[in-house]
Amino acid sequence: DMTDRQGLQPDKENCLCQAMTQEEIAQRLGLTRVTVARHLRQLKALKLIAYQFRRIIILNKESLEKTLL
């Protein structure tokens, strides 16, 4: 498990744990799956989120909010 290797302990405040595929996220946002995947990779590279199968963990909420606004 990726989060275990990184020493992360996801909780209700920093984990988007609703099981959703990238395709489902894209449909809800009116985007393509490719666009969603690209943005998730960018946010991961900035160390703002970690993700694995259907789970996104927010690593730095304040910076994430600034980046997205």
Side-chain angles (χ1 to χ4, degrees), residues 49-62:
I49 66 167
Y51 67 89
Q52 66 184 104
F53 185 72
R54 296 185 182 203
R55 183 167 71 172
I56 299 171
I57 300 165
I58 299 169
L59 302 176
N60 188 329
K61 183 178 178 180
E62 185 176 312

Side-chain angles (χ1 to χ4, degrees), residues 8-69:
L8 300 174
Q9 297 298 320
D11 58 33
K12 291 180 182 180
E13 290 186 28
N14 69 353
C15 182
L16 306 177
C17 295
Q18 182 177 358
M20 291 179 63
T21 64
Q22 290 179 1
E23 182 65 36
E24 291 167 331
I25 294 169
Q27 288 175 357
R28 287 187 179 199
L29 297 175
L31 303 169
T32 66
R33 188 205 57 79
V34 172
T35 300
V36 169
R38 181 181 332 117
H39 286 288
L40 288 175
R41 280 193 308 272
Q42 290 171 344
L43 294 172
K44 183 179 177 185
L46 293 170
K47 301 200 184 304
L48 300 176
I49 66 167
Y51 67 89
Q52 66 184 104
F53 185 72
R54 296 185 182 203
R55 183 167 71 172
I56 299 171
I57 300 165
I58 299 169
L59 302 176
N60 188 329
K61 183 178 178 180
E62 185 176 312
S63 292
L64 179 62
E65 288 173 344
K66 288 178 183 177
T67 300
L68 297 177
L69 296 178

